Amino acid sequence: MEDMLFYDRMQFAFTITFHYLFPQLTMGLSLMIVYFKWKFLRTDIEKYNDAAKFWMKIFALNFAMGVVTGIPMEFQFGTNWAKFSELTGGIIGQTLAMEGMFSFFLESSFLGLFLFGEKLLGHKLHFVTGFLVFLGSWASGYLIIATHSWMQYPVGYEILENGKFVLNNFGALFSNPWLLPSYLHNQAASLVTSSFVVAAIGAFYILNNKHHEFGKLFLKTGVIFGLISSLLVAFPTGDLAAKNVVKYQPVTFAAMEGIFETEKGGSEIVLIGQPNVLEKKLDNKIAVPNILSFLTYQKWDAEIKGLNEFDPAVYPTNIPGLYYAYHIMVGLGTIFIGLMLLAAVQLFRKKLYKTKWILWSIMFMLPFPYIANTTGWYTAELGRQPWLVYNLLRTADGASPTVSSGNTLFTLLGFIGLYLLLGLLFLMLAGKIINNGPQLNQQH
């Protein structure tokens, strides 16, 4: 049984990790495309329109990859997690169906019109189609995170005698206190990824002395969006999301921060350390006293419960994984703020395009927002374990009892091989689009 559960979780973890590489770019990028198109309508400067159309090609490629990798992921609700679907389908089916019916079709329909309908529609309607693509992609994120938030903090439900969950308050799904902080944090993080991608391509063009005007435009736009979004990820969205964990999942918060024993007189914040679960302590730690209490409760001496206060049966099942995922996310987020702040200062001083070490740094940082987003999701998911629905349905009770571990391992290996090919294909196509650069509009 444990083998089966391990492979079920590994398969879902692999497919969802690979899938989310694509939506995290498209959600933030859709807003930046709307910005470029809006700037064109305001100024009538053609390079903004060309920039919007260039990034929509990247968006379309990511969108296609997101669809291809998202479908097998959702199929696992019926294969590996059939019991979970049977018990909770009356609730999570609502939001997932709405995501598919409304958001996905809105996004995909108007994506086609934006890509191919500019001459037919005219610039103002073309802008509207871009805005509707943005709306669809952000609505998709909202409905998916509404599903996730219910699993983290279940509301508006009742459990029937046969163990099935049914919804008795539809509005509660969307007024869930877990939802809005999680959604805003996720969208800001998505904007960080897209900002770094746009800035990195701009830096690449400047350093290679090609598409120079677009390089400067992309770098400037990416740095401004990147600084704002990096700050928003930390505060207020990250702060609100962390306060939710403190309030509704205190044992998870203790594990995330590596607090094994409740500290009297205020909790320290750990900058570096390795959790030693056997001896219930942090090895080789570097910590600053009382800061965590202040950040959490705005009081220097506020008490934060350690893991010693809780029953070991409700501990997160992978405390080191949770601790490291959380600290990688926070550490990278801090680096993003620092780098974008330096770049913004140089931009303000009109020296950014000549400051080669910052250009190289921005290019080098391109994969790291993807890592930060992934570890952020790992923090949320590892933090909820051993539960599928927090405190109500254990992960072990949601797996399909009839799917063998051998079948799951075989299909997992198949997914790894297939997704490796898909990833290589994506990199080749994206590389070709980036190398060709924005195509200057021939209409004028």
Side-chain angles (χ1 to χ4, degrees), residues 289-349:
N290 297 77
I291 295 291
L292 187 61
S293 291
F294 181 76
L295 290 175
T296 308
Y297 293 112
Q298 285 70 59
K299 292 179 183 173
W300 294 104
D301 59 350
E303 184 182 284
I304 295 174
K305 286 185 178 180
L307 286 166
N308 64 309
E309 303 266 352
F310 301 94
D311 181 352
V314 299
Y315 282 9
T317 46
N318 185 352
I319 291 171
L322 171 61
Y323 171 89
Y324 287 123
Y326 175 66
H327 280 79
I328 289 167
M329 174 190 72
V330 171
L332 286 174
T334 308
I335 292 167
F336 299 156
I337 292 170
L339 179 58
M340 284 302 182
L341 192 59
L342 283 170
V345 168
Q346 289 299 84
L347 181 67
F348 180 74
R349 295 175 66 204

Short mmCIF file of all heavy atoms in Angstrom, two decimals, residues 289-349:
data_model
loop_
_atom_site.label_atom_id
_atom_site.label_comp_id
_atom_site.label_asym_id
_atom_site.label_seq_id
_atom_site.Cartn_x
_atom_site.Cartn_y
_atom_site.Cartn_z
N PRO A 289 17.22 36.75 16.63
CA PRO A 289 16.22 36.62 17.70
C PRO A 289 14.98 37.49 17.48
O PRO A 289 15.07 38.60 16.95
CB PRO A 289 16.98 37.08 18.95
CG PRO A 289 18.42 36.99 18.61
CD PRO A 289 18.51 37.23 17.13
N ASN A 290 13.82 36.96 17.85
CA ASN A 290 12.55 37.69 17.98
C ASN A 290 11.92 38.19 16.67
O ASN A 290 10.79 38.68 16.68
CB ASN A 290 12.69 38.89 18.94
CG ASN A 290 13.03 38.45 20.35
OD1 ASN A 290 14.18 38.11 20.62
ND2 ASN A 290 12.05 38.40 21.23
N ILE A 291 12.64 38.09 15.55
CA ILE A 291 12.13 38.66 14.30
C ILE A 291 10.87 37.93 13.83
O ILE A 291 9.91 38.56 13.37
CB ILE A 291 13.21 38.61 13.19
CG1 ILE A 291 14.40 39.50 13.55
CG2 ILE A 291 12.64 39.04 11.85
CD1 ILE A 291 14.13 40.97 13.54
N LEU A 292 10.85 36.60 13.96
CA LEU A 292 9.69 35.84 13.49
C LEU A 292 8.43 36.23 14.25
O LEU A 292 7.34 36.36 13.66
CB LEU A 292 9.95 34.34 13.61
CG LEU A 292 8.88 33.44 12.98
CD1 LEU A 292 8.75 33.69 11.48
CD2 LEU A 292 9.19 31.96 13.23
N SER A 293 8.54 36.44 15.55
CA SER A 293 7.39 36.87 16.36
C SER A 293 6.86 38.21 15.86
O SER A 293 5.65 38.42 15.75
CB SER A 293 7.78 36.99 17.84
OG SER A 293 8.03 35.71 18.38
N PHE A 294 7.78 39.13 15.56
CA PHE A 294 7.37 40.46 15.11
C PHE A 294 6.69 40.38 13.74
O PHE A 294 5.65 41.01 13.51
CB PHE A 294 8.58 41.40 15.04
CG PHE A 294 8.20 42.78 14.59
CD1 PHE A 294 7.56 43.65 15.47
CD2 PHE A 294 8.46 43.20 13.29
CE1 PHE A 294 7.19 44.93 15.05
CE2 PHE A 294 8.08 44.48 12.87
CZ PHE A 294 7.45 45.34 13.75
N LEU A 295 7.29 39.60 12.81
CA LEU A 295 6.71 39.48 11.47
C LEU A 295 5.33 38.81 11.51
O LEU A 295 4.45 39.14 10.73
CB LEU A 295 7.64 38.66 10.56
CG LEU A 295 8.95 39.32 10.15
CD1 LEU A 295 9.82 38.35 9.36
CD2 LEU A 295 8.70 40.59 9.33
N THR A 296 5.15 37.88 12.45
CA THR A 296 3.90 37.13 12.51
C THR A 296 2.81 37.86 13.27
O THR A 296 1.67 37.93 12.82
CB THR A 296 4.16 35.75 13.18
OG1 THR A 296 5.25 35.12 12.51
CG2 THR A 296 2.95 34.85 13.07
N TYR A 297 3.16 38.42 14.41
CA TYR A 297 2.14 39.04 15.28
C TYR A 297 2.38 40.53 15.56
O TYR A 297 1.62 41.14 16.30
CB TYR A 297 2.09 38.30 16.63
CG TYR A 297 1.57 36.89 16.53
CD1 TYR A 297 2.40 35.80 16.75
CD2 TYR A 297 0.23 36.64 16.22
CE1 TYR A 297 1.92 34.50 16.67
CE2 TYR A 297 -0.26 35.35 16.13
CZ TYR A 297 0.58 34.28 16.36
OH TYR A 297 0.11 32.99 16.28
N GLN A 298 3.44 41.12 14.96
CA GLN A 298 3.81 42.51 15.22
C GLN A 298 4.11 42.76 16.70
O GLN A 298 3.94 43.87 17.21
CB GLN A 298 2.72 43.49 14.72
CG GLN A 298 2.68 43.66 13.20
CD GLN A 298 2.17 42.40 12.51
OE1 GLN A 298 1.06 41.96 12.77
NE2 GLN A 298 2.97 41.83 11.62
N LYS A 299 4.54 41.70 17.39
CA LYS A 299 4.99 41.82 18.78
C LYS A 299 6.32 41.06 18.92
O LYS A 299 6.41 39.92 18.50
CB LYS A 299 3.96 41.20 19.74
CG LYS A 299 2.65 41.96 19.83
CD LYS A 299 1.69 41.26 20.77
CE LYS A 299 0.34 41.96 20.81
NZ LYS A 299 -0.66 41.20 21.58
N TRP A 300 7.30 41.73 19.52
CA TRP A 300 8.63 41.13 19.61
C TRP A 300 8.65 39.88 20.50
O TRP A 300 9.47 38.99 20.30
CB TRP A 300 9.64 42.15 20.16
CG TRP A 300 9.86 43.30 19.24
CD1 TRP A 300 9.37 44.57 19.37
CD2 TRP A 300 10.61 43.31 18.02
NE1 TRP A 300 9.76 45.35 18.30
CE2 TRP A 300 10.53 44.61 17.46
CE3 TRP A 300 11.35 42.33 17.32
CZ2 TRP A 300 11.15 44.97 16.28
CZ3 TRP A 300 11.97 42.70 16.14
CH2 TRP A 300 11.88 43.98 15.61
N ASP A 301 7.74 39.82 21.48
CA ASP A 301 7.79 38.70 22.43
C ASP A 301 6.64 37.71 22.25
O ASP A 301 6.36 36.89 23.13
CB ASP A 301 7.78 39.24 23.87
CG ASP A 301 6.54 40.08 24.16
OD1 ASP A 301 5.79 40.40 23.19
OD2 ASP A 301 6.31 40.42 25.34
N ALA A 302 5.93 37.77 21.11
CA ALA A 302 4.80 36.86 20.88
C ALA A 302 5.29 35.42 20.78
O ALA A 302 6.35 35.13 20.21
CB ALA A 302 4.07 37.25 19.59
N GLU A 303 4.50 34.53 21.37
CA GLU A 303 4.88 33.11 21.38
C GLU A 303 4.34 32.42 20.12
O GLU A 303 3.19 32.59 19.75
CB GLU A 303 4.29 32.45 22.63
CG GLU A 303 4.70 30.99 22.79
CD GLU A 303 4.06 30.36 24.02
OE1 GLU A 303 4.54 30.65 25.13
OE2 GLU A 303 3.09 29.59 23.86
N ILE A 304 5.21 31.65 19.46
CA ILE A 304 4.80 30.83 18.33
C ILE A 304 5.00 29.36 18.71
O ILE A 304 6.08 28.97 19.16
CB ILE A 304 5.61 31.17 17.06
CG1 ILE A 304 5.29 32.60 16.62
CG2 ILE A 304 5.29 30.20 15.92
CD1 ILE A 304 6.11 33.11 15.47
N LYS A 305 3.95 28.59 18.55
CA LYS A 305 4.00 27.19 18.99
C LYS A 305 5.02 26.39 18.17
O LYS A 305 5.06 26.49 16.95
CB LYS A 305 2.62 26.55 18.84
CG LYS A 305 1.62 26.99 19.89
CD LYS A 305 0.31 26.22 19.73
CE LYS A 305 -0.68 26.62 20.82
NZ LYS A 305 -1.95 25.87 20.68
N GLY A 306 5.81 25.58 18.87
CA GLY A 306 6.74 24.67 18.22
C GLY A 306 6.09 23.31 18.00
O GLY A 306 4.98 23.04 18.46
N LEU A 307 6.79 22.43 17.28
CA LEU A 307 6.26 21.10 16.99
C LEU A 307 6.01 20.28 18.26
O LEU A 307 5.16 19.38 18.28
CB LEU A 307 7.22 20.34 16.06
CG LEU A 307 7.24 20.82 14.60
CD1 LEU A 307 8.45 20.25 13.87
CD2 LEU A 307 5.97 20.44 13.86
N ASN A 308 6.74 20.61 19.34
CA ASN A 308 6.55 19.88 20.60
C ASN A 308 5.15 20.03 21.18
O ASN A 308 4.72 19.25 22.02
CB ASN A 308 7.59 20.34 21.64
CG ASN A 308 7.41 21.81 22.01
OD1 ASN A 308 7.34 22.67 21.15
ND2 ASN A 308 7.36 22.10 23.30
N GLU A 309 4.40 21.05 20.72
CA GLU A 309 3.05 21.30 21.24
C GLU A 309 1.99 20.42 20.56
O GLU A 309 0.82 20.45 20.94
CB GLU A 309 2.68 22.78 21.00
CG GLU A 309 3.64 23.77 21.62
CD GLU A 309 3.20 24.21 23.01
OE1 GLU A 309 2.09 23.85 23.42
OE2 GLU A 309 3.99 24.91 23.66
N PHE A 310 2.39 19.70 19.49
CA PHE A 310 1.40 18.98 18.68
C PHE A 310 1.65 17.47 18.74
O PHE A 310 2.76 17.01 18.97
CB PHE A 310 1.45 19.45 17.21
CG PHE A 310 1.19 20.91 17.04
CD1 PHE A 310 2.25 21.81 16.99
CD2 PHE A 310 -0.11 21.40 16.94
CE1 PHE A 310 2.01 23.18 16.83
CE2 PHE A 310 -0.35 22.75 16.80
CZ PHE A 310 0.71 23.65 16.74
N ASP A 311 0.58 16.73 18.47
CA ASP A 311 0.65 15.27 18.37
C ASP A 311 1.48 14.90 17.13
O ASP A 311 1.17 15.37 16.03
CB ASP A 311 -0.77 14.72 18.25
CG ASP A 311 -0.81 13.19 18.16
OD1 ASP A 311 0.26 12.58 18.04
OD2 ASP A 311 -1.92 12.64 18.19
N PRO A 312 2.52 14.08 17.28
CA PRO A 312 3.32 13.67 16.10
C PRO A 312 2.50 13.06 14.97
O PRO A 312 2.92 13.09 13.81
CB PRO A 312 4.30 12.65 16.68
CG PRO A 312 4.44 13.03 18.11
CD PRO A 312 3.09 13.54 18.53
N ALA A 313 1.31 12.56 15.26
CA ALA A 313 0.45 11.97 14.22
C ALA A 313 -0.01 13.00 13.20
O ALA A 313 -0.37 12.65 12.07
CB ALA A 313 -0.76 11.29 14.85
N VAL A 314 -0.01 14.30 13.58
CA VAL A 314 -0.46 15.34 12.63
C VAL A 314 0.71 16.15 12.08
O VAL A 314 0.50 17.14 11.37
CB VAL A 314 -1.50 16.29 13.28
CG1 VAL A 314 -2.74 15.53 13.70
CG2 VAL A 314 -0.91 17.07 14.47
N TYR A 315 1.96 15.74 12.37
CA TYR A 315 3.11 16.42 11.78
C TYR A 315 3.06 16.28 10.26
O TYR A 315 2.64 15.24 9.74
CB TYR A 315 4.42 15.76 12.25
CG TYR A 315 4.89 16.12 13.65
CD1 TYR A 315 4.08 16.83 14.53
CD2 TYR A 315 6.14 15.73 14.08
CE1 TYR A 315 4.52 17.13 15.80
CE2 TYR A 315 6.60 16.02 15.36
CZ TYR A 315 5.77 16.71 16.22
OH TYR A 315 6.22 17.01 17.48
N PRO A 316 3.52 17.29 9.52
CA PRO A 316 3.72 17.09 8.07
C PRO A 316 4.64 15.89 7.84
O PRO A 316 5.61 15.69 8.59
CB PRO A 316 4.38 18.40 7.63
CG PRO A 316 3.94 19.40 8.64
CD PRO A 316 3.83 18.66 9.94
N THR A 317 4.34 15.10 6.81
CA THR A 317 5.05 13.82 6.64
C THR A 317 6.50 14.00 6.18
O THR A 317 7.30 13.10 6.32
CB THR A 317 4.30 12.92 5.65
OG1 THR A 317 3.93 13.69 4.51
CG2 THR A 317 3.06 12.33 6.27
N ASN A 318 6.83 15.16 5.61
CA ASN A 318 8.20 15.38 5.14
C ASN A 318 8.67 16.73 5.65
O ASN A 318 8.66 17.72 4.90
CB ASN A 318 8.25 15.29 3.61
CG ASN A 318 9.66 15.40 3.06
OD1 ASN A 318 10.61 15.68 3.79
ND2 ASN A 318 9.81 15.19 1.76
N ILE A 319 9.06 16.78 6.92
CA ILE A 319 9.44 18.06 7.53
C ILE A 319 10.68 18.68 6.86
O ILE A 319 10.68 19.87 6.52
CB ILE A 319 9.64 17.90 9.06
CG1 ILE A 319 8.28 17.64 9.71
CG2 ILE A 319 10.29 19.14 9.66
CD1 ILE A 319 8.36 17.25 11.17
N PRO A 320 11.77 17.90 6.58
CA PRO A 320 12.91 18.52 5.90
C PRO A 320 12.54 19.07 4.51
O PRO A 320 12.96 20.17 4.15
CB PRO A 320 13.93 17.37 5.79
CG PRO A 320 13.54 16.42 6.88
CD PRO A 320 12.06 16.51 6.98
N GLY A 321 11.75 18.31 3.74
CA GLY A 321 11.35 18.77 2.41
C GLY A 321 10.56 20.06 2.49
O GLY A 321 10.78 21.00 1.70
N LEU A 322 9.64 20.14 3.44
CA LEU A 322 8.82 21.34 3.64
C LEU A 322 9.70 22.53 4.05
O LEU A 322 9.57 23.63 3.49
CB LEU A 322 7.76 21.05 4.71
CG LEU A 322 6.93 22.22 5.22
CD1 LEU A 322 6.14 22.87 4.09
CD2 LEU A 322 5.98 21.75 6.32
N TYR A 323 10.59 22.29 4.99
CA TYR A 323 11.48 23.35 5.49
C TYR A 323 12.35 23.91 4.37
O TYR A 323 12.45 25.13 4.18
CB TYR A 323 12.34 22.79 6.62
CG TYR A 323 13.44 23.72 7.09
CD1 TYR A 323 13.21 24.65 8.09
CD2 TYR A 323 14.71 23.67 6.52
CE1 TYR A 323 14.21 25.51 8.52
CE2 TYR A 323 15.72 24.51 6.93
CZ TYR A 323 15.47 25.44 7.93
OH TYR A 323 16.47 26.29 8.34
N TYR A 324 12.99 23.00 3.60
CA TYR A 324 13.88 23.46 2.53
C TYR A 324 13.11 24.15 1.40
O TYR A 324 13.57 25.17 0.86
CB TYR A 324 14.71 22.30 1.98
CG TYR A 324 15.80 21.84 2.91
CD1 TYR A 324 15.87 20.52 3.36
CD2 TYR A 324 16.78 22.73 3.38
CE1 TYR A 324 16.87 20.09 4.22
CE2 TYR A 324 17.78 22.32 4.24
CZ TYR A 324 17.82 21.00 4.66
OH TYR A 324 18.81 20.60 5.53
N ALA A 325 11.95 23.61 1.04
CA ALA A 325 11.14 24.23 -0.03
C ALA A 325 10.79 25.66 0.36
O ALA A 325 10.94 26.60 -0.44
CB ALA A 325 9.88 23.41 -0.28
N TYR A 326 10.34 25.84 1.59
CA TYR A 326 9.93 27.17 2.06
C TYR A 326 11.11 28.13 2.08
O TYR A 326 11.01 29.27 1.61
CB TYR A 326 9.32 27.05 3.46
CG TYR A 326 8.98 28.35 4.10
CD1 TYR A 326 7.98 29.17 3.57
CD2 TYR A 326 9.67 28.80 5.23
CE1 TYR A 326 7.67 30.39 4.16
CE2 TYR A 326 9.36 30.01 5.83
CZ TYR A 326 8.36 30.80 5.29
OH TYR A 326 8.06 32.01 5.87
N HIS A 327 12.26 27.66 2.58
CA HIS A 327 13.42 28.56 2.69
C HIS A 327 14.04 28.88 1.33
O HIS A 327 14.57 29.98 1.13
CB HIS A 327 14.45 27.97 3.67
CG HIS A 327 14.09 28.22 5.09
ND1 HIS A 327 13.14 27.47 5.76
CD2 HIS A 327 14.51 29.17 5.99
CE1 HIS A 327 13.01 27.94 7.00
NE2 HIS A 327 13.83 28.95 7.16
N ILE A 328 13.99 27.95 0.38
CA ILE A 328 14.45 28.25 -0.98
C ILE A 328 13.57 29.33 -1.60
O ILE A 328 14.05 30.30 -2.20
CB ILE A 328 14.47 26.97 -1.85
CG1 ILE A 328 15.59 26.03 -1.40
CG2 ILE A 328 14.64 27.32 -3.33
CD1 ILE A 328 15.50 24.63 -1.97
N MET A 329 12.24 29.17 -1.45
CA MET A 329 11.31 30.17 -1.99
C MET A 329 11.60 31.56 -1.40
O MET A 329 11.73 32.55 -2.14
CB MET A 329 9.87 29.75 -1.68
CG MET A 329 8.83 30.78 -2.06
SD MET A 329 7.17 30.40 -1.44
CE MET A 329 7.35 30.74 0.32
N VAL A 330 11.70 31.65 -0.09
CA VAL A 330 11.90 32.94 0.57
C VAL A 330 13.27 33.53 0.20
O VAL A 330 13.40 34.73 -0.09
CB VAL A 330 11.76 32.80 2.10
CG1 VAL A 330 12.19 34.08 2.81
CG2 VAL A 330 10.33 32.44 2.47
N GLY A 331 14.29 32.67 0.19
CA GLY A 331 15.65 33.14 -0.16
C GLY A 331 15.72 33.69 -1.57
O GLY A 331 16.29 34.78 -1.80
N LEU A 332 15.13 32.96 -2.51
CA LEU A 332 15.14 33.44 -3.91
C LEU A 332 14.33 34.73 -4.04
O LEU A 332 14.74 35.65 -4.75
CB LEU A 332 14.59 32.36 -4.84
CG LEU A 332 15.52 31.18 -5.12
CD1 LEU A 332 14.81 30.10 -5.94
CD2 LEU A 332 16.79 31.62 -5.85
N GLY A 333 13.19 34.79 -3.35
CA GLY A 333 12.37 36.01 -3.41
C GLY A 333 13.13 37.23 -2.94
O GLY A 333 13.02 38.31 -3.52
N THR A 334 13.95 37.05 -1.91
CA THR A 334 14.77 38.16 -1.39
C THR A 334 15.82 38.59 -2.42
O THR A 334 16.05 39.79 -2.63
CB THR A 334 15.46 37.72 -0.08
OG1 THR A 334 14.47 37.20 0.81
CG2 THR A 334 16.19 38.88 0.57
N ILE A 335 16.43 37.60 -3.09
CA ILE A 335 17.41 37.91 -4.14
C ILE A 335 16.75 38.66 -5.30
O ILE A 335 17.32 39.62 -5.84
CB ILE A 335 18.09 36.61 -4.64
CG1 ILE A 335 18.97 36.01 -3.53
CG2 ILE A 335 18.91 36.86 -5.90
CD1 ILE A 335 19.43 34.60 -3.79
N PHE A 336 15.53 38.25 -5.67
CA PHE A 336 14.82 38.92 -6.77
C PHE A 336 14.60 40.40 -6.46
O PHE A 336 14.79 41.26 -7.32
CB PHE A 336 13.45 38.27 -7.04
CG PHE A 336 13.51 36.82 -7.44
CD1 PHE A 336 12.41 35.98 -7.24
CD2 PHE A 336 14.65 36.28 -8.02
CE1 PHE A 336 12.46 34.64 -7.61
CE2 PHE A 336 14.71 34.94 -8.39
CZ PHE A 336 13.61 34.12 -8.18
N ILE A 337 14.17 40.68 -5.22
CA ILE A 337 13.94 42.08 -4.83
C ILE A 337 15.25 42.87 -4.94
O ILE A 337 15.29 43.97 -5.50
CB ILE A 337 13.38 42.16 -3.38
CG1 ILE A 337 11.96 41.59 -3.34
CG2 ILE A 337 13.39 43.61 -2.89
CD1 ILE A 337 11.40 41.40 -1.92
N GLY A 338 16.34 42.30 -4.42
CA GLY A 338 17.64 42.98 -4.45
C GLY A 338 18.11 43.27 -5.86
O GLY A 338 18.53 44.40 -6.17
N LEU A 339 18.04 42.26 -6.75
CA LEU A 339 18.51 42.43 -8.12
C LEU A 339 17.66 43.44 -8.88
O LEU A 339 18.19 44.32 -9.58
CB LEU A 339 18.51 41.08 -8.86
CG LEU A 339 18.96 41.10 -10.32
CD1 LEU A 339 20.38 41.66 -10.45
CD2 LEU A 339 18.90 39.70 -10.93
N MET A 340 16.34 43.33 -8.76
CA MET A 340 15.47 44.26 -9.49
C MET A 340 15.57 45.68 -8.95
O MET A 340 15.44 46.65 -9.70
CB MET A 340 14.01 43.77 -9.43
CG MET A 340 13.72 42.62 -10.36
SD MET A 340 14.11 43.05 -12.09
CE MET A 340 13.62 41.58 -12.97
N LEU A 341 15.86 45.82 -7.65
CA LEU A 341 16.06 47.15 -7.07
C LEU A 341 17.33 47.80 -7.64
O LEU A 341 17.32 48.97 -8.03
CB LEU A 341 16.14 47.04 -5.55
CG LEU A 341 16.07 48.34 -4.74
CD1 LEU A 341 14.79 49.09 -5.02
CD2 LEU A 341 16.19 48.03 -3.25
N LEU A 342 18.40 47.02 -7.71
CA LEU A 342 19.65 47.52 -8.31
C LEU A 342 19.44 47.91 -9.78
O LEU A 342 19.90 48.96 -10.22
CB LEU A 342 20.75 46.45 -8.22
CG LEU A 342 21.41 46.26 -6.86
CD1 LEU A 342 22.29 45.02 -6.88
CD2 LEU A 342 22.25 47.49 -6.51
N ALA A 343 18.74 47.04 -10.51
CA ALA A 343 18.48 47.32 -11.93
C ALA A 343 17.62 48.58 -12.09
O ALA A 343 17.86 49.40 -12.98
CB ALA A 343 17.78 46.13 -12.58
N ALA A 344 16.62 48.74 -11.20
CA ALA A 344 15.75 49.92 -11.28
C ALA A 344 16.52 51.21 -10.99
O ALA A 344 16.29 52.25 -11.63
CB ALA A 344 14.58 49.77 -10.32
N VAL A 345 17.45 51.14 -10.02
CA VAL A 345 18.29 52.31 -9.71
C VAL A 345 19.12 52.69 -10.94
O VAL A 345 19.20 53.88 -11.32
CB VAL A 345 19.19 52.03 -8.49
CG1 VAL A 345 20.27 53.10 -8.34
CG2 VAL A 345 18.35 51.94 -7.22
N GLN A 346 19.74 51.69 -11.58
CA GLN A 346 20.54 51.95 -12.78
C GLN A 346 19.67 52.45 -13.93
O GLN A 346 20.11 53.29 -14.73
CB GLN A 346 21.30 50.68 -13.20
CG GLN A 346 22.45 50.31 -12.27
CD GLN A 346 23.52 51.39 -12.18
OE1 GLN A 346 23.39 52.34 -11.40
NE2 GLN A 346 24.57 51.27 -12.97
N LEU A 347 18.44 51.95 -14.02
CA LEU A 347 17.51 52.43 -15.05
C LEU A 347 17.20 53.89 -14.82
O LEU A 347 17.20 54.71 -15.76
CB LEU A 347 16.22 51.58 -15.01
CG LEU A 347 15.14 51.93 -16.04
CD1 LEU A 347 15.62 51.62 -17.46
CD2 LEU A 347 13.85 51.16 -15.75
N PHE A 348 16.93 54.25 -13.56
CA PHE A 348 16.63 55.63 -13.20
C PHE A 348 17.83 56.54 -13.50
O PHE A 348 17.65 57.68 -13.94
CB PHE A 348 16.26 55.70 -11.71
CG PHE A 348 15.93 57.08 -11.22
CD1 PHE A 348 14.71 57.67 -11.55
CD2 PHE A 348 16.83 57.78 -10.42
CE1 PHE A 348 14.41 58.96 -11.10
CE2 PHE A 348 16.53 59.06 -9.97
CZ PHE A 348 15.31 59.65 -10.31
N ARG A 349 19.04 56.02 -13.29
CA ARG A 349 20.26 56.80 -13.56
C ARG A 349 20.65 56.78 -15.03
O ARG A 349 21.68 57.33 -15.42
CB ARG A 349 21.42 56.24 -12.72
CG ARG A 349 21.22 56.38 -11.23
CD ARG A 349 22.33 55.70 -10.46
NE ARG A 349 23.62 56.36 -10.67
CZ ARG A 349 24.79 55.76 -10.53
NH1 ARG A 349 24.86 54.48 -10.17
NH2 ARG A 349 25.91 56.42 -10.74
#
